[in-house]
Amino acid sequence: ELLAGNFKSLGDSIQEKVNHKEMSSIYPPVSILVSAVLMKISYSTLPYKILFFICDLIIILFIVKILRKLEKPIHWALLYVMSPLVLLYGVGECHLDILQNVLLITGIYFLSYSKLKRMIACGFFLLGCAVLTKYLAIIAVPFLINRKNISFLLFFLLPFASYFLFIESGMWESLEIFYGTMHFNDAVPRLLRFIA
């Protein structure tokens, strides 16, 4: 009661709907920092919806740019635009995948199609930010490194310095619990755990 009265974020209607309030966030630093900034703008989902709508427009722009580079039909971008997952979970439910995707696709574009050193460095930096938005983006990294750009790999690591803002004992415990015991739609990983 005392805490909820003094700290809005501990007793408001948004916090009441949060699952597993006793656990620290499993999200990487870029996600947490973006959320902190958005919540300072307005303690609601509106800033998320605006940001993710803008991110979606940027994603579409870069999909079109990549399709042009590959000499593929531009209308293929509709596969993204009309995807129910994008429409429902992106701007609709404010999933952080949209933020990860905008960082990932711009990074991929710069690494794949730019000859300018600063743009290659920017591509790796954006790729690092994508990984620190949602860890799943790390899957793309090995496919984007080659002999010509490996010297810029340090720029991928720069965003990882943001972990210094969150260093505390037990900072990985929630992530271990999430990946170790909380499973959703994981038929293949469950099979692999059973075999192992």
Side-chain angles (χ1 to χ4, degrees), residues 31-187:
S31 292
I32 295 169
L33 293 171
V34 167
S35 292
V37 169
L38 294 176
M39 285 304 190
K40 288 291 183 189
I41 293 169
S42 172
Y43 196 68
S44 70
T45 59
L46 183 61
Y48 282 93
K49 289 181 183 288
I50 292 169
L51 174 66
F52 291 177
F53 178 73
I54 293 166
C55 287
D56 256 341
L57 294 177
I58 295 169
I59 291 168
I60 294 164
L61 171 74
F62 276 92
I63 288 173
V64 169
K65 289 170 85 68
I66 290 171
L67 287 170
R68 282 189 177 142
K69 291 282 188 186
L70 296 173
E71 299 179 354
K72 300 294 182 191
I74 293 171
H75 68 269
W76 284 7
L78 290 173
L79 292 171
Y80 176 82
V81 174
M82 300 305 290
S83 168
L85 291 174
V86 171
L87 295 171
L88 179 64
Y89 294 110
V91 177
E93 291 193 8
C94 300
H95 280 247
L96 290 168
D97 300 271
I98 298 297
L99 185 57
Q100 171 200 265
N101 292 347
V102 73
L103 295 166
L104 188 60
I105 197 161
T106 52
I108 288 170
Y109 181 82
F110 292 149
L111 288 171
S112 300
Y113 300 108
S114 183
K115 304 286 188 240
L116 299 173
K117 290 180 179 181
R118 68 177 182 270
M119 297 312 280
I120 294 169
C122 182
F124 271 119
F125 182 80
L126 291 170
L127 196 59
C129 289
V131 171
L132 293 184
T133 301
K134 289 196 82 172
Y135 296 115
L136 189 59
I138 194 98
I139 293 169
V141 176
F143 299 102
L144 297 168
I145 300 171
N146 58 45
R147 277 186 240 142
K148 293 178 182 176
N149 67 22
I150 196 163
S151 61
F152 295 93
L153 197 54
L154 175 63
F155 291 94
F156 168 76
L157 299 174
L158 281 178
F160 286 80
S162 61
Y163 273 110
F164 288 113
L165 299 170
F166 299 97
I167 291 178
E168 60 181 36
S169 64
M171 67 185 272
W172 300 105
E173 287 176 8
S174 295
L175 191 62
E176 290 172 14
I177 291 168
F178 182 79
Y179 284 110
T181 61
M182 297 178 176
H183 307 290
F184 309 98
N185 301 322
D186 69 338

